[in-house]
Amino acid sequence: MPSTLLEKELIEAIAKTYGTPVYVYSREEILKRISTVKDVFSSVNLFPTFACKANNNPRIIEMFKDNGFGADIVSIGEYHACKLADVDDKKIVWNGNGKTRKEIEILSKKVGYVNIDSEEEYEIWSEIDSSAEFFLRVNPDVDAKTHPHISTGLKKSKFGIQTDEIDRILSKKRLNISGFHVHIGSQITDVEPFEEAISKVVDLSKKYGFSKINIGGGWGIKYKDKELDILEYKERIVPYLKDFKMVILELGRYMIAPAGLLVLKVEYVKKTRHKTFVVLDGGMNVLMRPAMYNAYHEVNVLDPESSEKYIIDVVGPLCESGDIIAFERNLEIPKVGSYVIVRDVGAYGYSMSNNYNSMPRPAEVIVYEENGKYDFRLIRRREEIEEMFKTIV
Ligand SMILES: *Cc1c(COP(=O)(O)O)cnc(C)c1O
């Protein structure tokens, strides 16, 4: 994002033009992240994909496509988003532990790659005519040391095939399997679990003679303290991958989280004897992560009453006490009617937003630099109230 002063002007212009709550993404930051990933894997036969569940805006998916990325999808809805972004079918990787038979019938001749999550799913695919390349998702039994809800590679997790089941499944020979897939979770900030999981799956690939591998996503960004050390990742992980003919990568959060911020308007500053609450025009309906994972997001006050800081709760307008954006944060008190920004929300922000309390979903805007100055463009308009009830019969 641009410098703070410029940022304030831009944000106010965006908020005045399109209203709040509004998600704002930086094109510059996304492009920077794309080039970082390409640098890390420059010595590898990389096929990078963008994990659309982090952000399903087709205009965003399109930016990744234009820079050589494919797409990782987990539903037909995300397939649809990819089609709106004009992603080539052959560059779509399909993930999920609950692909329905109906979905499988619809997508079997479309997507390029499928990660099979279980022996039961293997059986379904072996009865269906498909043009996809198949990978088996391995559960490596590795602790990703992240939030339990986004930890997926422990043996008690619902994802993947246990290593001792691989022999039996592969010996069925009813499907042509191209390689293994591994994804141990999200927001992982240590290289260690990646190395444990990937080295394990690389060994398995060698054992079974696979020349392709899918190493999933999961790179952790800096919300507060720690982030994944990309250089260390490059030094420790990339050497394992040099001999592969194809290395598929599925990154979501790292690609887009720091490129997005959320702008909300201050409706009330409510001072009680016990606490001060800053009440915004959106809460867990627009950003679920704090309520759901107790996630930390940096909050900035654009127009403070004074420079003095207090311990305050930044909350939404929903009828639920869990409706919190920032809990007991040391912040200036904003002026009523001014704007507050919440950072690092480009991933799992809009895509997890919802209509709880019958609140329409927010707008999305992209900021880009042209001829040395910043401009912005709407990439998803705000939902209308009537649209929330379109399905009523
Ligand atoms: C969610 C998911 C990803 C992306 O994870 P990030 O942490 O956002 O990079 C990649 N692969 C699979 C199978 C996933 O479920």
Side-chain angles (χ1 to χ4, degrees):
M1 274 281 156
S3 78
T4 321
L5 240 181
L6 202 57
E7 189 178 71
K8 181 171 186 283
E9 263 172 41
L10 252 178
I11 302 254
E12 287 175 349
I14 291 168
K16 288 195 173 113
T17 311
Y18 295 115
T20 52
V22 58
Y23 275 93
V24 180
Y25 306 101
S26 158
R27 186 183 145 80
E28 212 177 337
E29 183 64 32
I30 296 170
L31 294 177
K32 197 175 98 194
R33 287 175 176 266
I34 289 174
S35 76
T36 301
V37 166
K38 288 183 175 169
D39 277 352
V40 169
F41 293 98
S42 56
S43 58
V44 160
N45 295 312
L46 184 70
F47 170 39
T49 67
F50 173 62
C52 300
K53 76 173 190 281
N55 190 308
N56 70 2
N57 191 307
R59 299 288 86 83
I60 299 275
I61 297 170
E62 209 165 46
M63 286 182 58
F64 286 101
K65 178 205 71 179
D66 291 343
N67 286 281
F69 275 56
D72 156 21
I73 63 163
V74 293
S75 68
I76 298 222
E78 288 184 0
Y79 176 78
H80 188 70
C82 289
K83 289 295 97 181
L84 293 176
D86 206 21
V87 178
D88 181 354
D89 275 348
K90 294 295 152 252
K91 291 191 138 193
I92 295 179
V93 181
W94 188 14
N95 265 304
N97 68 311
K99 307 178 189 79
T100 66
R101 192 177 272 265
K102 193 172 156 213
E103 285 178 306
I104 288 175
E105 279 162 7
I106 295 169
L107 293 184
S108 60
K109 293 225 184 72
K110 294 192 157 77
V111 295
Y113 303 88
V114 173
N115 295 326
I116 295 178
D117 190 78
S118 63
E119 185 168 4
E120 293 76 8
E121 186 186 331
Y122 178 104
E123 289 302 322
I124 296 187
W125 282 104
S126 67
E127 292 161 12
I128 276 177
D129 194 19
S130 172
S131 52
E133 262 192 55
F134 296 106
F135 286 65
L136 294 184
R137 177 167 182 169
V138 173
N139 182 322
D141 191 21
V142 166
D143 186 353
K145 301 190 182 77
T146 182
H147 191 284
H149 290 184
I150 50 175
S151 192
T152 60
L154 283 163
K155 62 174 183 279
K156 60 171 200 227
S157 141
K158 71 172 180 175
F159 295 102
I161 293 162
Q162 309 292 325
T163 46
D164 58 4
E165 292 173 337
I166 292 172
D167 254 343
R168 187 178 69 238
I169 297 175
L170 285 176
S171 67
K172 293 184 180 185
K173 293 203 163 36
R174 294 171 60 200
L175 280 177
N176 220 340
I177 303 292
S178 294
F180 293 122
H181 166 252
V182 63
H183 173 76
I184 55 169
S186 197
Q187 185 53 18
I188 301 165
T189 52
D190 288 329
V191 175
E192 191 64 35
F194 283 113
E195 183 165 14
E196 247 184 86
I198 290 172
S199 63
K200 220 177 229 187
V201 177
V202 164
D203 285 348
L204 284 169
S205 303
K206 289 188 175 147
K207 176 176 166 195
Y208 290 100
F210 292 140
S211 59
K212 298 184 180 179
I213 190 169
N214 183 326
I215 59 168
W219 292 15
I221 65 126
K222 182 172 179 153
Y223 287 107
K224 191 179 181 188
D225 319 303
K226 210 174 164 209
E227 65 187 320
L228 180 70
D229 183 337
I230 307 293
L231 279 179
E232 187 192 345
Y233 182 100
K234 182 176 179 173
E235 271 166 29
R236 285 175 60 184
I237 306 296
V238 169
Y240 287 102
L241 305 169
K242 290 214 159 78
D243 297 336
F244 285 90
K245 218 167 67 189
M246 179 187 256
V247 176
I248 305 178
L249 179 70
E250 306 167 332
L251 283 179
R253 187 187 311 271
Y254 176 83
M255 304 311 304
I256 182 93
L261 52 81
L262 174 62
V263 188
L264 299 135
K265 192 173 179 180
V266 178
E267 297 293 342
Y268 294 94
V269 175
K270 175 175 173 177
K271 293 178 181 162
T272 75
R273 235 177 327 138
H274 308 286
K275 267 194 160 177
T276 298
F277 298 95
V278 170
V279 185
L280 306 174
D281 60 354
M284 63 190 285
N285 57 321
V286 284
L287 182 67
M288 282 270 271
R289 291 182 27 79
M292 190 159 161
Y293 309 121
N294 198 18
Y296 178 98
H297 284 273
E298 191 185 327
V299 170
N300 300 135
V301 169
L302 285 194
D303 244 322
E305 283 283 6
S306 78
S307 58
E308 206 167 330
K309 290 189 175 178
Y310 301 85
I311 302 293
I312 56 181
D313 280 5
V314 181
V315 301
L318 275 60
C319 296
E320 160 152 352
S321 294
D323 179 31
I324 275 181
I325 295 286
F327 184 67
E328 297 188 346
R329 201 66 66 81
N330 192 25
L331 274 178
E332 306 94 341
I333 306 232
K335 287 185 183 145
V336 171
S338 72
Y339 303 108
V340 156
I341 58 184
V342 186
R343 295 195 186 269
D344 306 311
V345 295
Y348 308 103
Y350 189 97
S351 67
M352 290 176 92
S353 70
N354 58 77
N355 292 128
Y356 187 38
N357 279 212
S358 298
M359 302 276 197
R361 301 222 286 169
E364 294 183 290
V365 164
I366 192 141
V367 171
Y368 54 93
E369 198 188 336
E370 213 166 67
N371 309 324
K373 74 184 224 346
Y374 288 99
D375 206 347
F376 57 87
R377 182 166 68 85
L378 188 67
I379 56 170
R380 174 155 19 205
R381 66 166 172 77
R382 187 173 308 287
E383 192 175 26
E384 301 280 353
I385 288 184
E386 303 75 51
E387 287 173 297
M388 293 190 291
F389 298 97
K390 255 185 158 169
T391 45
I392 300 302
V393 289

